[in-house]
Amino acid sequence: MRIAVAGATGTVGRQVARVAAERGHEVVPLSRSTGQDAVTSVGLVAALRGVEAVVDVLNTPSVLKQPAAAFFTATTRNLLAAEQRAGVPHHVVLSIVGIDGVDAGYYAGKLAQERLVTASAVPFSLLRATQFHEFADRFLRQARRGRFALVPAGLLRPVAASEVAERLVGAVEAGPGGRLADLTGPRDEQLTSLVERLAAAEGDPVRPVELRLPGAFWRAMRSGVLRGGPDADRGVITFDEWLAARTTI
Ligand SMILES: NC(=O)c1ccc[n+]([C@@H]2O[C@H](COP(=O)([O-])OP(=O)(O)OC[C@H]3O[C@@H](n4cnc5c(N)ncnc54)[C@H](OP(=O)(O)O)[C@@H]3O)[C@@H](O)[C@H]2O)c1
């Protein structure tokens, strides 16, 4: 199949492109670095000619409500409109486990994205996954203050991006399936512990300091609601296994 991966240069997008190519599909990468901008629509329709499914794994670095909502609303609208013009019969989107009712911060953007996809005339598959193992990386790099890393409290069940990618490519192959079973990782983890183990694996002496941040977004993160329910499918690759083999999984 000819599959467009919107966000093919990103953390999970790279894995989607790899898995799809390994399974014999033709991958059309879409990102600003390959000449398409999903916020402005530049290059989208031309890139989607002959495409049988679009996997949307675009992302914005902002965790604030307004910019995240603006990004996911614009990119989702533009992708769906381009798919309708190009005759693409399947839109596959990745969202986040446990965000119902958390209409705050970044998750407000993801909920807006889900609403647009489920209301669209384009047949869709919607997969929700938990945080990737790579999630800890952001706090190690961006939240450093000298010898310390300021890490918000979080109770998560992180999953390997490679397993999420396999599920997304499987969804493409299966055809439009609507809302799919959630995908979580194998174990509960505290975010500070993930950052600590990541730093240790890199020989970085930084010490994580746990913060209790205000607001619905951070409350959701530490409440455990983002780990998913008993009906979720579970990946098998643990954080420590991912850490030990980071370049391959
Ligand atoms: N990270 C997690 O833990 C996690 C967990 C569950 C679900 N998700 C979801 O998975 C998706 C992907 O997350 P990620 O962490 O893999 O993202 P990422 O690493 O930040 O990658 C983002 C991708 O989007 C592209 N992009 C950004 N702005 C664009 C634009 N205006 N036009 C075209 N392409 C653009 C980037 O490429 P260019 O910069 O070249 O444009 C890049 O390929 C997100 O929707 C996120 O909500 C993430």
Side-chain angles (χ1 to χ4, degrees):
M1 295 174 77
R2 190 170 158 86
I3 303 170
V5 181
T9 54
T11 303
V12 72
R14 281 195 300 272
Q15 302 272 4
V16 172
R18 176 186 59 77
V19 171
E22 281 172 8
R23 294 196 195 175
H25 300 296
E26 183 189 351
V27 174
V28 178
L30 304 184
S31 71
R32 289 168 300 184
S33 47
T34 50
Q36 301 81 26
D37 190 327
V39 171
T40 62
S41 265
V42 166
L44 291 186
V45 177
L48 292 185
R49 298 234 162 78
V51 161
E52 290 159 89
V54 170
V55 180
D56 179 1
V57 282
L58 296 170
N59 204 9
T60 174
S62 179
V63 295
L64 300 177
K65 181 171 181 168
Q66 290 307 334
F71 177 86
F72 284 112
T73 299
T75 57
T76 304
R77 277 206 181 115
N78 290 339
L79 272 181
L80 291 167
E83 288 163 24
Q84 285 186 286
R85 283 184 61 196
V88 178
H90 189 188
H91 182 88
V92 180
V93 65
L94 179 62
S95 190
I96 301 175
V97 167
I99 60 173
D100 293 303
V102 195
D103 199 15
Y106 179 85
Y107 302 141
K110 296 302 291 181
L111 287 170
Q113 179 182 43
E114 289 190 354
R115 285 193 290 270
L116 288 169
V117 170
T118 53
S120 162
V122 179
F124 69 93
S125 300
L126 191 165
L127 174 69
R128 283 178 167 187
T130 51
Q131 288 63 42
F132 308 149
H133 293 320
E134 286 85 350
F135 190 66
D137 202 62
R138 169 186 191 134
F139 296 96
L140 180 59
R141 318 275 163 228
Q142 296 176 7
R144 299 186 80 103
R145 299 291 180 275
R147 290 171 33 244
F148 301 100
L150 306 180
V151 183
L155 176 56
L156 309 173
R157 197 170 282 165
V159 66
S162 59
E163 292 184 300
V164 177
E166 280 166 23
R167 184 61 61 90
L168 289 168
V169 176
V172 169
E173 292 167 341
R179 171 81 186 269
L180 307 176
D182 290 354
L183 178 63
T184 80
R187 288 189 190 162
D188 288 359
E189 299 279 6
Q190 295 289 344
L191 183 53
T192 36
S193 170
L194 300 178
V195 174
E196 192 167 30
R197 281 138 70 197
L198 180 62
E202 296 186 353
D204 183 339
V206 74
R207 282 184 42 205
V209 176
E210 189 169 271
L211 301 178
R212 285 177 72 83
L213 296 177
F217 176 84
W218 299 109
R219 254 198 321 277
M221 192 157 301
R222 63 177 172 266
S223 71
V225 72
L226 301 181
R227 292 173 300 167
D231 296 337
D233 292 337
R234 288 217 184 183
V236 296
I237 300 171
T238 66
F239 180 77
D240 293 315
E241 287 165 346
W242 169 81
L243 206 48
R246 230 174 324 164
T247 51
T248 50
I249 57 175

